[in-house]
Amino acid sequence: MPKSARKQEKDPDGRMPLAEHLRELRNRLLKSVLAIVVISAVAMWQYPAIAHFVTGPVIDAVGCPDTAAGLGPRTHPCAQVTANGLLAPFTIMLKLSLTTGLVAASPIWLYQFWAFLAPGLHSHEKKYALTFVGAGAPLFLGGAYLAYAVLPTTAGALVGLTPSEWTNLFPADEFLDIVTRMVIVFGLAFELPLLLVLLNLGGVLSGRRILSWWRFMVLGITIFSAIATPTGDPLTMCLLAAPIVLLFFGAVGICLFNDRRRQRNNPDAELSDDEASELDLTPAPVAEIEPVASHRMLPEQASGDSGKDEPPRRNGYDDVT
């Protein structure tokens, strides 16, 4: 009887039928979704603490004082976070809990994604992929933390533009959308230097070529920061563009160092596939001419005059035919 899919021995090269690939993909997706659901349920139980963690810095920066507590009025514009509608608190709780579950469960679903792809990768591809995962997670978290850190300053600068006779209200769902988008945009933007380093390690781009693009890269990073920031203010744009530019030049330095190391190990490493190597065209001295013994065939064998130990020939042939 054929063995079940779980009891069959795995191929060392990671090969399996299409049905087995689909079954493994289904199992890993189920594990990822289950981890997200479980963590989202825990986040829903701790929803007040998580909501305070997300909105607390902004409220502390621009929130209006509580007059019932005896606090004096603020001398500069302030804002209040509101939930508009009867179902708004419930939908905001679901959205915030799911976002927390997706972020907190990222090690689990990233591992499932890696475990699904790893059997089909070569050894050097696994090394690059592990480098990407190991360096990509801190960079993404660094960008997310920067977005979280600059959000109160950005909110204070924007609220400060409000006339004194106006009142600011922050819808909670819109506010959470801005926070989520800023965290994702800042985190993904910090992955750009890592992508350049991986292209250099793979031999696709050299450090010198990347450095020659620095003007276009700085301009592109600035334009990207202006478009990608949800608030659209110059302060947030500069706070996003400046670290990416610094990381870009840091990545260029790593690429140049890697090119120099590769050049020491292999002088022809920077040559393209269509570029010919340099040839030494200096004439070499010719060796002495060696005499070559002549064959015993012509002209005497052509006339039938052969040696004593050989059969007689006729017209150069050794038999009558």
Side-chain angles (χ1 to χ4, degrees):
M1 295 180 61
K3 296 181 179 180
S4 62
R6 293 180 178 271
K7 296 182 180 180
Q8 289 179 354
E9 296 183 358
K10 294 184 178 180
D11 191 281
D13 296 332
R15 293 171 297 186
M16 62 179 67
L18 178 60
E20 296 297 328
H21 276 292
L22 296 178
R23 185 178 293 109
E24 184 181 4
L25 178 61
R26 181 199 62 186
N27 294 335
R28 298 197 179 278
L29 285 176
L30 287 177
K31 293 178 182 178
S32 302
V33 172
L34 181 61
I36 294 174
V37 170
V38 171
I39 298 180
S40 298
V42 176
M44 192 177 300
W45 177 51
Q46 296 292 331
Y47 166 69
I50 297 174
H52 176 73
F53 174 79
V54 174
T55 61
V58 177
I59 295 177
D60 293 339
V62 300
C64 296
D66 189 2
T67 56
L71 300 176
R74 273 196 171 184
T75 58
H76 56 82
C78 60
Q80 292 181 349
V81 179
T82 62
N84 299 329
L86 180 62
L87 297 178
F90 178 73
T91 56
I92 293 171
M93 181 181 64
L94 289 180
K95 183 183 298 185
L96 186 59
S97 300
L98 288 176
T99 304
T100 304
L102 184 64
V103 174
S106 57
I108 299 176
W109 56 262
L110 280 176
Y111 170 76
Q112 297 299 328
F113 177 73
W114 161 252
F116 178 74
L117 295 180
L121 299 178
H122 298 288
S123 58
H124 65 282
E125 294 173 340
K126 291 181 180 180
K127 179 180 65 176
Y128 292 155
L130 287 175
T131 302
F132 180 81
V133 174
L139 285 175
F140 183 86
L141 293 177
Y145 177 77
L146 178 62
Y148 181 77
V150 303
L151 189 58
T153 305
T154 303
L158 294 177
V159 172
L161 302 176
T162 307
S164 58
E165 63 272 12
W166 291 5
T167 301
N168 289 291
L169 298 177
F170 287 172
D173 52 351
E174 180 181 346
F175 175 73
L176 292 177
D177 289 341
I178 292 177
V179 173
T180 304
R181 286 161 53 189
M182 286 189 64
V183 167
I184 294 176
V185 168
F186 274 61
L188 293 179
F190 272 48
E191 302 292 336
L192 174 62
L194 179 61
L195 178 62
L196 295 177
V197 172
L198 288 180
L199 291 176
N200 177 260
L201 292 176
V204 179
L205 293 175
S206 63
R208 188 173 301 174
R209 172 164 300 185
I210 298 175
L211 181 60
S212 65
W213 296 344
W214 73 270
R215 296 179 180 86
F216 301 100
M217 292 298 296
V218 171
L219 179 61
I221 290 171
T222 305
I223 296 175
F224 169 78
S225 302
I227 297 175
T229 50
T231 55
D233 60 291
L235 178 61
T236 307
M237 180 192 72
C238 295
L239 290 175
L240 174 60
I244 300 177
V245 171
L246 293 178
L247 289 174
F248 166 74
F249 284 106
V252 171
I254 296 175
C255 294
L256 292 175
F257 176 78
N258 181 61
D259 290 344
R260 186 175 300 177
R261 178 190 59 82
R262 188 181 301 168
Q263 183 70 20
R264 287 197 303 264
N265 297 334
N266 182 13
D268 299 331
E270 295 185 358
L271 296 177
S272 62
D273 296 337
D274 299 331
E275 186 176 358
S277 303
E278 295 183 0
L279 300 178
D280 187 7
L281 302 179
T282 305
V286 181
E288 296 182 359
I289 301 177
E290 298 179 1
V292 179
S294 61
H295 201 270
R296 295 185 301 166
M297 185 172 180
L298 294 177
E300 63 273 7
Q301 289 183 1
S303 59
D305 185 10
S306 59
K308 295 180 180 181
D309 297 336
E310 295 182 1
R313 295 175 179 268
R314 291 185 179 182
N315 298 327
Y317 298 96
D318 59 355
D319 55 3
V320 178
T321 60

Short mmCIF file of all heavy atoms in Angstrom, two decimals, residues 56-80:
data_model
loop_
_atom_site.label_atom_id
_atom_site.label_comp_id
_atom_site.label_asym_id
_atom_site.label_seq_id
_atom_site.Cartn_x
_atom_site.Cartn_y
_atom_site.Cartn_z
N GLY A 56 -1.47 57.18 22.59
CA GLY A 56 -1.00 57.93 23.75
C GLY A 56 0.00 59.03 23.43
O GLY A 56 -0.17 60.18 23.87
N PRO A 57 1.07 58.76 22.66
CA PRO A 57 2.03 59.83 22.38
C PRO A 57 1.42 61.03 21.66
O PRO A 57 1.79 62.18 21.95
CB PRO A 57 3.09 59.12 21.51
CG PRO A 57 2.99 57.69 21.88
CD PRO A 57 1.54 57.45 22.16
N VAL A 58 0.49 60.79 20.74
CA VAL A 58 -0.13 61.91 20.02
C VAL A 58 -1.04 62.70 20.94
O VAL A 58 -1.06 63.94 20.91
CB VAL A 58 -0.89 61.38 18.78
CG1 VAL A 58 -1.60 62.51 18.07
CG2 VAL A 58 0.06 60.67 17.84
N ILE A 59 -1.80 62.00 21.76
CA ILE A 59 -2.68 62.70 22.70
C ILE A 59 -1.87 63.52 23.70
O ILE A 59 -2.23 64.64 24.05
CB ILE A 59 -3.60 61.69 23.41
CG1 ILE A 59 -4.55 61.04 22.40
CG2 ILE A 59 -4.39 62.36 24.52
CD1 ILE A 59 -5.46 59.98 22.99
N ASP A 60 -0.75 62.96 24.15
CA ASP A 60 0.10 63.72 25.08
C ASP A 60 0.69 64.96 24.41
O ASP A 60 0.97 65.97 25.07
CB ASP A 60 1.23 62.83 25.60
CG ASP A 60 0.70 61.71 26.47
OD1 ASP A 60 -0.43 61.84 26.99
OD2 ASP A 60 1.41 60.69 26.62
N ALA A 61 0.90 64.88 23.08
CA ALA A 61 1.53 66.00 22.38
C ALA A 61 0.52 67.08 22.00
O ALA A 61 0.82 68.27 22.12
CB ALA A 61 2.25 65.50 21.13
N VAL A 62 -0.68 66.67 21.55
CA VAL A 62 -1.63 67.67 21.03
C VAL A 62 -2.99 67.56 21.69
O VAL A 62 -3.93 68.26 21.28
CB VAL A 62 -1.79 67.52 19.50
CG1 VAL A 62 -0.46 67.72 18.80
CG2 VAL A 62 -2.37 66.15 19.13
N GLY A 63 -3.17 66.66 22.67
CA GLY A 63 -4.48 66.47 23.26
C GLY A 63 -4.94 67.69 24.06
O GLY A 63 -4.14 68.43 24.62
N CYS A 64 -6.25 67.87 24.08
CA CYS A 64 -6.83 68.97 24.83
C CYS A 64 -6.89 68.61 26.32
O CYS A 64 -7.18 67.46 26.67
CB CYS A 64 -8.24 69.28 24.32
SG CYS A 64 -8.27 69.88 22.62
N PRO A 65 -6.63 69.56 27.21
CA PRO A 65 -6.68 69.26 28.65
C PRO A 65 -8.09 69.01 29.12
O PRO A 65 -9.07 69.47 28.52
CB PRO A 65 -6.07 70.52 29.28
CG PRO A 65 -6.35 71.60 28.28
CD PRO A 65 -6.27 70.96 26.92
N ASP A 66 -8.20 68.28 30.19
CA ASP A 66 -9.49 67.97 30.79
C ASP A 66 -9.86 69.09 31.76
O ASP A 66 -9.25 69.25 32.82
CB ASP A 66 -9.43 66.63 31.52
CG ASP A 66 -10.80 66.16 31.99
OD1 ASP A 66 -11.78 66.86 31.69
OD2 ASP A 66 -10.86 65.09 32.63
N THR A 67 -10.85 69.88 31.40
CA THR A 67 -11.26 71.01 32.25
C THR A 67 -11.91 70.53 33.54
O THR A 67 -11.85 71.22 34.57
CB THR A 67 -12.23 71.91 31.49
OG1 THR A 67 -13.35 71.12 31.04
CG2 THR A 67 -11.55 72.53 30.27
N ALA A 68 -12.53 69.33 33.51
CA ALA A 68 -13.16 68.81 34.73
C ALA A 68 -12.13 68.46 35.79
O ALA A 68 -12.43 68.45 36.98
CB ALA A 68 -14.02 67.59 34.40
N ALA A 69 -10.92 68.16 35.36
CA ALA A 69 -9.86 67.80 36.31
C ALA A 69 -9.16 69.01 36.88
O ALA A 69 -8.20 68.87 37.63
CB ALA A 69 -8.85 66.88 35.64
N GLY A 70 -9.62 70.20 36.50
CA GLY A 70 -9.02 71.41 37.03
C GLY A 70 -7.81 71.89 36.28
O GLY A 70 -7.08 72.76 36.76
N LEU A 71 -7.55 71.31 35.10
CA LEU A 71 -6.41 71.74 34.31
C LEU A 71 -6.76 72.98 33.51
O LEU A 71 -7.86 73.08 32.97
CB LEU A 71 -5.96 70.60 33.37
CG LEU A 71 -5.54 69.29 34.05
CD1 LEU A 71 -5.22 68.23 33.01
CD2 LEU A 71 -4.34 69.53 34.96
N GLY A 72 -5.86 73.89 33.42
CA GLY A 72 -6.10 75.12 32.68
C GLY A 72 -6.13 74.88 31.18
O GLY A 72 -5.62 73.87 30.69
N PRO A 73 -6.73 75.78 30.46
CA PRO A 73 -6.78 75.61 29.00
C PRO A 73 -5.40 75.78 28.38
O PRO A 73 -4.53 76.47 28.89
CB PRO A 73 -7.72 76.74 28.56
CG PRO A 73 -7.59 77.77 29.64
CD PRO A 73 -7.37 77.02 30.92
N ARG A 74 -5.21 75.12 27.25
CA ARG A 74 -3.95 75.21 26.54
C ARG A 74 -3.86 76.54 25.81
O ARG A 74 -4.85 77.08 25.33
CB ARG A 74 -3.81 74.07 25.53
CG ARG A 74 -3.22 72.81 26.13
CD ARG A 74 -2.75 71.89 25.04
NE ARG A 74 -1.98 70.78 25.57
CZ ARG A 74 -1.40 69.87 24.82
NH1 ARG A 74 -1.50 69.94 23.51
NH2 ARG A 74 -0.71 68.89 25.36
N THR A 75 -2.63 77.02 25.70
CA THR A 75 -2.42 78.28 24.98
C THR A 75 -2.25 78.06 23.48
O THR A 75 -2.28 79.02 22.72
CB THR A 75 -1.17 78.97 25.53
OG1 THR A 75 -0.03 78.09 25.41
CG2 THR A 75 -1.36 79.33 27.00
N HIS A 76 -2.09 76.82 23.03
CA HIS A 76 -1.94 76.52 21.60
C HIS A 76 -3.03 75.54 21.20
O HIS A 76 -3.66 74.90 22.04
CB HIS A 76 -0.55 75.94 21.31
CG HIS A 76 -0.22 74.71 22.11
ND1 HIS A 76 -0.65 73.46 21.74
CD2 HIS A 76 0.47 74.56 23.26
CE1 HIS A 76 -0.22 72.58 22.62
NE2 HIS A 76 0.47 73.22 23.56
N PRO A 77 -3.30 75.40 19.88
CA PRO A 77 -4.38 74.51 19.44
C PRO A 77 -4.16 73.07 19.90
O PRO A 77 -3.03 72.60 20.05
CB PRO A 77 -4.30 74.62 17.91
CG PRO A 77 -3.66 75.93 17.65
CD PRO A 77 -2.69 76.13 18.78
N CYS A 78 -5.27 72.39 20.15
CA CYS A 78 -5.22 71.01 20.59
C CYS A 78 -6.22 70.19 19.79
O CYS A 78 -6.93 70.72 18.93
CB CYS A 78 -5.52 70.90 22.09
SG CYS A 78 -7.16 71.54 22.54
N ALA A 79 -6.26 68.90 20.04
CA ALA A 79 -7.14 68.00 19.29
C ALA A 79 -7.65 66.90 20.20
O ALA A 79 -7.05 66.61 21.25
CB ALA A 79 -6.40 67.40 18.10
N GLN A 80 -8.77 66.30 19.79
CA GLN A 80 -9.37 65.20 20.52
C GLN A 80 -9.60 64.04 19.55
O GLN A 80 -9.99 64.24 18.40
CB GLN A 80 -10.71 65.61 21.14
CG GLN A 80 -10.58 66.64 22.26
CD GLN A 80 -11.93 66.99 22.86
OE1 GLN A 80 -12.98 66.63 22.30
NE2 GLN A 80 -11.93 67.69 23.98
#
